[in-house]
Amino acid sequence: MAAVAKEWGECAHDLRTTAVARTMFSSGMSRMVLIGGAYLSMSWEERQRGRKGPKRVGEVPGSTHALAGRAAGGGGGAATTGWLIVRAQKSTNQLKALLAKLLPAGGAAQGAAAVEAILSDMSEALSEALASLQAGRTMGGCRRRRRRACWSMDEVLQRSAAAAGQCREGVVVSGEGIRADGSSRRIMLQFGDRGDSYTWRKYGQKDILGARFARNYYRCACAQRSGCSARKHVQQSDDDPTRLEITYIGAHTCDDRPSPPATSPADDEQRSTVVSHLPAVAVAAAAPSTVRKLVERHVPASDMMEACTPSMEMEASWLLIPSPACSQSELLSEAGEVPELRPGASPPAPAERGKAWDGELLALYDSVVPDLVWRPSA
DNA sequence: AATATTTGACCGAC
DNA sequence: GTCGGTCAAATATT
């Protein structure tokens, strides 16, 4: 641990270095460490250019160690994939260094060269995989200066969920709506559609007992004007912060969007809960403006302004927006508004919904949404 | 200045 | 008394 700080020399610059120094991210050219409760990031390139200390890109709020948890194997989706790639890169480099020491310099030169070639290939492939993954996350950077210097990982995650409440561009969200009489209905929104074009306004936030993240409360923006009673609750999943649970309550009675038409008052108080988990690359394609706004809002722009190299830009996006799950969906109450996944097919039995439903989606949207889970409302 | 968000207070259900 | 949901004043953002 201390070696990490030592290796980086100036990493302790301007910070109270403690025994707690943990490598959070390392990709050859750049590295992130956790020292004294602060997430520090710096690239070799920057160091070459004479930068003295690392950039402080986040901090640990109180006892929260969100990223540490993720690094230890928690989390899921694209963020975890990225971390696993980084880990594999690191292991490859370590193996490389180890073999360089173990293999005799002269005698087995040919074998050493072969091993070296294989390892280099592995390393290169991992770098490309990571770059490809990160490219989908690079949605902003180099933006104007922000007022706040640091955001904790939990804050970023929480605000991602909050921002999702306002996300308008469509993504694939699917599930089954639950009617007041207990019957259910399958709903689906297409990736690339505009989803619901309603505008939502946040009216509250509440810490929920036993939940790591607060629940955000939204109502239709035209509620005051038209009396529309539609609401939705957005909450990040404890198990996977990149996953959002969105509960829709009531139906729109406003005509703020052209279609589908407003539902009947009898549909009020319907509830449906969908759980979405979207890879950053899909979200980037689906909601570039929203995500960019999110990045602008949360990435410490003082850092972004002074470190605009591609590597740092990607790293900042990667580190601060682990997977900006951003989704929008609604319970559509009119039959025929959306196509059935399989016309005529009956919905899976409750016990089978989890597996069967996922399978269906994966079959249809494998290249777009790798993970989508339905969960009935409480 | 207008609009949106935040957050402590309040309320009803349990 | 506790908890989730909502209100509304304060604050932040555009």
Side-chain angles (χ1 to χ4, degrees):
Chain A
M1 292 298 118
V4 175
K6 191 179 176 185
E7 180 185 350
W8 276 84
E10 299 86 351
C11 269
H13 174 76
D14 199 25
L15 283 156
R16 284 177 302 168
T17 305
T18 71
V20 183
R22 176 171 187 172
T23 303
M24 308 301 295
F25 179 96
S26 177
S27 64
M29 292 304 290
S30 56
R31 176 163 297 180
M32 185 187 186
V33 294
L34 171 59
I35 297 178
Y39 297 105
L40 308 178
S41 169
M42 190 171 179
S43 68
W44 283 114
E45 192 178 338
E46 280 189 307
R47 220 178 154 205
Q48 294 285 46
R49 282 184 298 173
R51 187 185 172 97
K52 289 291 182 186
K55 294 186 307 180
R56 183 171 170 144
V57 298
E59 58 194 9
V60 180
S63 61
T64 304
H65 298 279
L67 190 58
R70 300 170 68 83
T80 296
T81 305
W83 172 258
L84 291 172
I85 292 173
V86 169
R87 206 174 80 186
Q89 269 185 323
K90 196 176 172 184
S91 298
T92 304
N93 289 336
Q94 286 174 345
L95 183 60
K96 209 170 173 179
L98 188 64
L99 284 171
K101 283 182 186 174
L102 296 177
L103 288 174
Q110 199 173 352
V115 170
E116 168 73 21
I118 292 169
L119 286 172
S120 294
D121 185 53
M122 285 170 65
S123 185
E124 196 176 325
L126 287 168
S127 294
E128 284 178 15
L130 184 63
S132 172
L133 189 68
Q134 288 175 332
R137 304 167 185 276
T138 308
M139 295 158 275
C142 303
R143 299 294 167 182
R144 61 182 185 274
R145 188 166 293 270
R146 292 288 149 199
R147 289 173 186 168
R148 191 162 164 187
C150 292
W151 294 89
S152 71
M153 294 304 158
D154 267 7
E155 278 179 310
V156 172
L157 289 170
Q158 262 183 317
R159 284 167 178 267
S160 297
Q166 298 298 351
C167 181
R168 295 184 62 144
E169 285 81 355
V171 293
V172 174
V173 172
S174 186
E176 287 190 12
I178 306 298
R179 289 192 170 282
D181 63 5
S183 64
S184 62
R185 157 180 296 219
R186 182 183 304 182
I187 60 171
M188 179 178 77
L189 292 183
Q190 299 273 350
F191 179 79
D193 285 354
R194 290 195 58 81
D196 80 14
S197 52
Y198 289 112
T199 305
W200 299 91
R201 182 153 304 158
K202 186 175 179 178
Y203 66 87
Q205 178 175 316
K206 189 78 176 178
D207 287 328
I208 303 301
L209 193 71
R212 184 173 146 202
F213 299 103
R215 182 174 298 163
N216 296 285
Y217 299 89
Y218 297 86
R219 65 161 53 95
C220 184
C222 68
Q224 276 196 317
R225 176 163 40 88
S226 68
C228 180
S229 61
R231 285 163 290 151
K232 72 172 178 180
H233 302 169
V234 178
Q235 184 168 17
Q236 274 174 275
S237 166
D238 281 351
D239 299 334
D240 181 356
T242 67
R243 193 170 291 191
L244 297 178
E245 296 176 20
I246 308 173
T247 301
Y248 290 83
I249 305 161
H252 289 276
T253 53
C254 57
D255 57 355
D256 264 17
R257 63 169 194 176
S259 68
T263 56
S264 67
D267 284 338
D268 280 356
E269 298 309 315
Q270 278 187 51
R271 274 177 181 250
S272 75
T273 299
V274 295
V275 181
S276 67
H277 176 194
L278 302 168
V281 64
V283 172
S289 61
T290 305
V291 175
R292 190 177 305 120
K293 195 175 172 185
L294 192 65
V295 172
E296 287 178 13
R297 186 186 296 183
H298 304 307
V299 170
S302 55
D303 293 341
M304 300 303 277
M305 290 292 284
E306 59 184 310
C308 229
T309 66
S311 63
M312 288 314 297
E313 185 178 344
M314 286 201 297
E315 184 179 348
S317 298
W318 166 249
L319 293 172
L320 295 176
I321 311 294
S323 180
C326 185
S327 64
Q328 185 78 307
S329 69
E330 70 162 327
L331 173 62
L332 297 173
S333 59
E334 296 296 324
E337 282 176 355
V338 290
E340 294 283 344
L341 282 170
R342 285 189 197 142
S346 56
E352 292 298 307
R353 278 172 187 152
K355 307 181 279 187
W357 189 243
D358 280 353
E360 255 181 353
L361 283 164
L362 285 171
L364 283 170
Y365 295 104
D366 192 39
S367 62
V368 180
V369 177
D371 183 3
L372 201 56
V373 180
W374 179 90
R375 181 181 296 178
S377 58

